[in-house]
Amino acid sequence: MPRFFVVLALLLGATLMTAPAPSPAAPPEKSAEDARLAKLFQTYLDEEFRLHPLFATQQGNHEYDDRLDDLAPAAREKDVDRAKSWLARLAKEIDVPKLSRDGQIDYEIWTHSLKYGLWSVVNDNRFEFDPRAYGEYISDSVFVLLTQSTLPRERNVENAAKRITHIPQVVAAAKASLKSPPKILTEITIKRNLGAISFYEKEIYALAGETVGTEPLATPCKAAVTALKDFQTWLEKELLPRSAGEWRLGKERFAKKLELELDAGLTADEVVRIAEAEAARVELEMYYVAKQLWSKLFPGTPLPPDDAAGRRATIKSVLDELGKDHGKPETLVADAKKTVDTIKTFIRDKKILTLPDPDQCKIIEMPEFQRGFSAAYLNPAPPLDPKADSLYAVAPPPKDWTPARQETFFREYNSAMLQILTIHEAYPGHYVQLAYSNRCPSLVRKVLWSGTFAEGWAVYTEQMMLDQGYGAGDLSLRLHQLKFYIRAVLNALLDNKMHTTDITDEEALKLLIDRGFQTEAEAVGKVARAKQSSTQLSTYFVGRTAFYRLRQSVQRKRGAAFDLGAFHEAVLSHGTLPVKYLPELVK
């Protein structure tokens, strides 16, 4: 389950006293068959860790930090055979009816992951069509050692030095495997590889706490730079000219992949139908908020007519004016940090849930070699090394952007939107949710976690926080929350249209700019992202819908006895599992 992406120095100021993390609820009674399943999964993991050292590191197992995966075609064929063997073994060795319900859910999650992986090899093989895949091993594999391992610094540096020696083999595997990838993926890889070269030439030493040009890093880094410069030439001169692959999945493959990715019991057509209705509803809500701000922002100017065009003009004009309140490239990380204390205080005072204590979330600037996909991400502490730091990475606009284009970026990620982004990525969004997930007793759910759950929770928290009073009724904050949410809704529509129809870039941009009120720079980036990925953009809306509906159902049944904080902690206590299981687990 490929969840190993993306970024973000200085521990967040822990000036707030947070309550100790709640003890997990007593686990349900386990059967002997549950124990057999858990033992089998541990055997499977041990095998996977030995063969896939980067996966081991990302999960917090540090036995193989000095090694890297064999990505050659023959090694990947053996991975396929092993996945098929494990499916057969599970069917033979596990008596599913004898499992507890929790055990059955773990069994279903594991077998689903194996089947999804096998489907992807045949229908969506990233090692053959996506040169970016090798960047995980070239750069991220070392970055994670130096930023998230809890081993002593000197040990991490030694492991990094040894791991770096394997980079030429990764480059060789890329050359042997990549056929005719989509042009946009090769172009992104060319930019990122330049960032990787710069990383190994100088940036790694500061990150590792070492003097530039000293051992044990100097010799392997020099060899890595030589290999990566050769790779750069190959990417530009050989791969790019033949990068004529189709990035669209097509209707049939997209529908099947979406079903596998979401694991939510919804078809592609159902997602589109629900998203279309929700987009219309949110547009109307945005208009009601914008109308209240109009006279304050444009005193004496008549409100546009109350028709479709006038309503959109009202929303756009108000957002354009509010967007002028923003930071600068050099202050983006500091600005993100400033939002944290206020948000955490509110969560504690309003009993939204119990915050993790100690706080292990760091806000960092996204490294160059990880940019080009999103403006921010949360890289959580590994499940097997939960005391490691979580990284909330934010990415300033690329340095080669013109001042005008940088301005549009900051009008999009203005002061209000930055607060919503921090709620989503950190508190009480991804960081808090995944910290809870790391306390779940199920190893299956810790390792094979659901992106639909994770993204859905993060989007759910944006509205929930404002509904509970965050921002004290600030209409600008509410309008930006709705803008951020309609982006999630439109992501699902864009995801589908980009991969199942012949929609043009111009039509896609119109969808995002006209209906989503996104700036041109943000919309251009999102269209590029839709070409670089498939189905992930749908997880935000589908997951949020599941959480919102569950909340409404539980609250109606509980009535006056409903406790919001208890509900949130109950939801998070079962791990990051497919959202289809939530109604039976959260009563």
Side-chain angles (χ1 to χ4, degrees), residues 111-340:
T111 54
H112 178 89
S113 175
L114 290 169
K115 291 174 183 176
Y116 187 5
L118 288 171
W119 182 90
S120 296
V121 168
V122 176
N123 298 279
D124 193 31
N125 192 331
R126 66 191 191 120
F127 289 107
E128 293 183 0
F129 84 88
D130 188 355
R132 298 174 310 157
Y134 297 91
E136 273 183 36
Y137 301 87
I138 289 170
S139 306
D140 293 7
S141 66
V142 174
F143 181 79
V144 71
L145 286 182
L146 300 175
T147 56
Q148 288 190 283
S149 170
T150 56
L151 294 180
R153 184 190 70 83
E154 294 78 11
R155 176 80 179 277
N156 288 328
V157 172
E158 290 174 5
N159 285 333
K162 292 177 181 177
R163 177 166 278 183
I164 293 166
T165 65
H166 296 278
I167 289 176
Q169 284 73 45
V170 175
V171 170
K175 291 180 178 181
S177 304
L178 291 165
K179 311 298 184 188
S180 179
K183 183 178 180 182
I184 186 172
L185 301 186
T186 303
E187 290 173 338
I188 292 291
T189 304
I190 287 170
K191 291 182 180 179
R192 288 187 175 181
N193 194 61
L194 288 173
I197 292 169
S198 175
F199 177 70
Y200 287 116
E201 284 181 329
K202 53 186 177 182
E203 294 157 15
I204 187 173
Y205 295 98
L207 195 64
E210 297 285 300
T211 302
V212 175
T214 58
E215 301 295 352
L217 292 175
T219 298
C221 283
K222 185 176 180 181
V225 168
T226 299
L228 292 175
K229 287 183 176 178
D230 173 70
F231 190 39
Q232 187 75 16
T233 300
W234 182 82
L235 288 168
E236 294 175 356
K237 304 299 183 184
E238 295 190 39
L239 190 63
L240 186 60
R242 69 171 193 255
S243 294
E246 177 56 69
W247 51 264
R248 296 185 202 269
L249 274 184
K251 190 174 181 67
E252 184 177 337
R253 280 197 301 157
F254 178 84
K256 181 60 178 177
K257 184 178 180 183
L258 188 72
E259 175 190 328
L260 290 165
E261 176 65 29
L262 297 179
D263 198 13
L266 289 173
T267 67
D269 289 343
E270 287 171 334
V271 172
V272 168
R273 177 178 54 80
I274 298 168
E276 287 282 12
E278 183 70 346
R281 185 195 69 79
V282 179
E283 281 180 280
L284 200 56
E285 189 171 348
M286 291 180 75
Y287 173 63
Y288 294 146
V289 176
K291 190 163 59 169
Q292 295 177 69
L293 285 162
W294 182 270
S295 61
K296 178 182 177 182
L297 297 175
F298 308 106
T301 302
L303 188 71
D306 187 1
D307 53 27
R311 288 192 289 272
R312 286 184 178 170
T314 301
I315 297 168
K316 184 179 185 307
S317 296
V318 170
L319 284 170
D320 286 346
E321 189 65 23
L322 294 173
K324 295 176 181 179
D325 179 16
H326 63 71
K328 302 175 181 178
E330 60 272 18
T331 66
L332 184 61
V333 173
D335 292 343
K337 289 179 180 179
K338 288 177 185 176
T339 67
V340 167

Side-chain angles (χ1 to χ4, degrees), residues 433-503:
Q433 182 263 309
L434 291 166
Y436 269 76
S437 184
N438 279 349
R439 298 201 296 267
C440 176
S442 166
L443 189 57
V444 170
R445 299 180 202 178
K446 286 180 180 179
V447 174
L448 304 179
W449 54 285
S450 164
T452 305
F453 184 109
E455 297 297 356
W457 167 263
V459 178
Y460 160 80
T461 63
E462 299 158 15
Q463 177 181 327
M464 178 274 296
M465 286 282 284
L466 269 65
D467 287 350
Q468 295 306 116
Y470 178 77
D474 183 344
L475 292 178
S476 172
L477 202 57
R478 175 63 78 178
L479 188 60
H480 282 91
Q481 177 263 310
L482 290 167
K483 178 183 174 180
F484 210 50
Y485 175 50
I486 202 170
R487 177 190 300 185
V489 180
L490 295 178
N491 279 350
L493 297 177
L494 179 71
D495 194 21
N496 189 296
K497 290 177 184 292
M498 292 290 281
H499 287 281
T500 68
T501 75
D502 59 357
I503 186 174

Side-chain angles (χ1 to χ4, degrees), residues 86-111:
W86 271 105
L87 273 173
R89 185 175 177 181
L90 280 168
K92 180 180 179 181
E93 297 188 24
I94 297 297
D95 190 343
V96 176
K98 290 184 178 179
L99 292 167
S100 69
R101 182 56 186 142
D102 256 14
Q104 290 174 352
I105 290 173
D106 284 354
Y107 179 90
E108 291 166 12
I109 291 171
W110 185 7
T111 54

